[in-house]
Amino acid sequence: MIAQADIGLLDGFERALINGRLRMAYQPKVSLSDGRLRRVEALVRWDDPSLGAVPPSRFVPLAEKHGLIDELTQWGLRTTLRQWLSWREDGLDTCLAFNISALSLDQLDFPDLVERMCRALDVPTDRLVLELTEGATQPLVKLMDTLTRFRIKGIGLAIDDFGVGYSTLMQLRQLPFTELKIDRFFIEDAPSSKESALIVKSIIDLAHGLGLTVTAEGVETEDQLRLLRDLGCDVAQGYFVARPLEPKQLIPWLDEFEER
Ligand code: C2E
Ligand code: CA
Ligand code: CA
Ligand code: CA
């Protein structure tokens, strides 16, 4: 069953996808030790003439449910890789973070497809990190197989929204992740709540013990940033550092940010 309200939305989304009316925004992730740009996360945007800006939390699940996620992923990745080339022409060689639906991981040839797309555009695979949530949709052995294929190709793997999703400590230990992103929920009140700060610290120590880079999501205040640095967190991402930017805003933002 598909809800009445979703039919119009799905229809509009499909048309936007086909007619090239989606776009990507890019949010900087910066190193807490030296303040340098570590990578940019690609986030899909849909501005509909009549509906306005529709958030991905509304249409990504619809795309997943109705067989459009592969098209969305391929369009998004191609757009993001092309953007990387354009930034590199302007002298910026950074890394990309790209969100992948857990559904895509069901296809055993998906890592090959991603590698082919990188090769076709001449983007080195080590410039790409895939961000994954909710890994629990399939048996661990199968997931392990797919994820290992990515790692062999030099592609990084981040576990997204850590602490609120289905990710378990078991998966964290067994799967070949390179980065862990602490969900914004824990970052929000970390400066005011001893308990949240303790949880954040424990996650950071745990992740470091497992050899993972740690990113804090949703950093909105200077207090949060300072605390995270004190707790040994590696990377910060959030409105305090930068909002998701238009492609052409990134280099001017970086010039200004590095002067601070
Ligand atoms: P996510 O991967 O956890 O992305 C972070 C979300 O937090 C983004 O929302 C971002 O705009 C927002 N954000 C960043 N900094 C802050 C902050 O300081 N405060 C607050 N309150 N929010 C912040 P967005 O762009 O609406 O995306 C929502 C989710 O949709 C993403 O969560 C991701 O799961 C999914 N998504 C976005 N783009 C794509 C895509 O291209 N493909 C797929 N499969 N999923 C995507
Ligand atoms: Ca993400
Ligand atoms: Ca996240
Ligand atoms: Ca999320």
Side-chain angles (χ1 to χ4, degrees), residues 9 13 44-48 50-60:
L9 199 64
F13 170 74
V44 63
R45 294 290 177 259
W46 172 23
D47 309 303
D48 186 79
S50 50
L51 300 169
V54 186
S57 56
R58 265 305 260 131
F59 64 81
V60 171

Side-chain angles (χ1 to χ4, degrees), residues 24 27 41-45 56-57 60 69 99-101 131 160-161 184 217-220 238-239 244:
M24 287 305 226
Q27 188 176 35
E41 178 175 357
L43 296 160
V44 63
R45 294 290 177 259
S57 56
V60 171
I69 193 65
N99 291 288
I100 291 289
S101 160
E131 298 195 354
D160 210 338
D161 301 344
R184 134 165 85 84
E217 296 194 283
V219 179
E220 294 182 348
Y239 297 162

Side-chain angles (χ1 to χ4, degrees), residues 186-197 223-224 227:
F186 297 105
I187 309 303
E188 201 174 346
D189 60 351
S192 59
S193 152
K194 271 212 160 70
E195 289 79 11
S196 282
D223 282 353
Q224 290 167 341
L227 176 67

Side-chain angles (χ1 to χ4, degrees), residues 32 219 221-230 236 240-241:
L32 278 164
V219 179
T221 69
E222 191 165 7
D223 282 353
Q224 290 167 341
L225 191 84
R226 223 181 276 126
L227 176 67
L228 287 162
R229 189 184 287 133
D230 290 346
F240 183 73
V241 177

Side-chain angles (χ1 to χ4, degrees), residues 147-159:
L147 297 188
T148 303
R149 286 170 198 240
F150 280 118
R151 292 297 302 128
I152 289 169
K153 298 174 192 309
I155 296 168
L157 297 171
I159 185 160

Side-chain angles (χ1 to χ4, degrees), residues 27-253:
Q27 188 176 35
K29 299 170 71 169
V30 301
S31 168
L32 278 164
S33 56
D34 59 13
R36 300 194 52 171
L37 181 68
R38 283 289 285 272
R39 40 181 151 272
V40 292
E41 178 175 357
L43 296 160
V44 63
R45 294 290 177 259
W46 172 23
D47 309 303
D48 186 79
S50 50
L51 300 169
V54 186
S57 56
R58 265 305 260 131
F59 64 81
V60 171
L62 271 186
E64 287 178 332
K65 210 163 137 196
H66 298 283
L68 293 170
I69 193 65
D70 289 344
E71 266 105 316
L72 175 62
T73 301
Q74 288 183 36
W75 169 84
L77 188 56
R78 206 178 313 114
T79 303
T80 301
L81 295 173
R82 284 194 184 131
Q83 187 55 54
W84 185 89
L85 291 173
S86 157
W87 282 322
R88 202 198 40 188
E89 265 172 35
D90 292 335
L92 175 66
D93 180 352
T94 188
C95 284
L96 300 167
F98 188 80
N99 291 288
I100 291 289
S101 160
L103 286 182
S104 303
L105 301 175
D106 288 343
Q107 304 155 274
L108 217 53
D109 61 349
F110 185 59
D112 287 331
L113 175 70
V114 173
E115 184 184 42
R116 273 202 306 277
M117 290 177 73
C118 290
R119 283 242 177 95
L121 290 168
D122 228 353
V123 178
T125 48
D126 66 358
R127 303 301 200 282
L128 184 61
V129 177
L130 302 178
E131 298 195 354
L132 317 168
T133 36
E134 306 181 1
T137 58
Q138 52 173 298
L140 201 59
V141 272
K142 203 169 156 228
L143 194 59
M144 173 80 120
D145 188 354
T146 312
L147 297 188
T148 303
R149 286 170 198 240
F150 280 118
R151 292 297 302 128
I152 289 169
K153 298 174 192 309
I155 296 168
L157 297 171
I159 185 160
D160 210 338
D161 301 344
F162 187 78
V164 298
Y166 294 94
S167 46
T168 63
L169 293 179
M170 171 112 113
Q171 290 182 340
L172 198 59
R173 187 176 75 87
Q174 298 196 323
L175 297 174
F177 287 106
T178 53
E179 175 182 347
L180 178 150
K181 300 186 76 176
I182 306 175
D183 193 84
R184 134 165 85 84
F185 177 83
F186 297 105
I187 309 303
E188 201 174 346
D189 60 351
S192 59
S193 152
K194 271 212 160 70
E195 289 79 11
S196 282
L198 179 66
I199 289 172
V200 169
K201 173 155 180 31
S202 305
I203 297 175
I204 292 169
D205 292 347
L206 172 72
H208 281 167
L210 294 167
L212 305 174
T213 300
V214 186
T215 297
E217 296 194 283
V219 179
E220 294 182 348
T221 69
E222 191 165 7
D223 282 353
Q224 290 167 341
L225 191 84
R226 223 181 276 126
L227 176 67
L228 287 162
R229 189 184 287 133
D230 290 346
L231 295 179
C233 186
D234 305 300
V235 176
Q237 177 178 12
Y239 297 162
F240 183 73
V241 177
R243 298 215 159 230
L245 305 171
E246 303 287 315
K248 64 175 184 325
Q249 291 179 307
L250 181 65
I251 289 175
W253 169 83

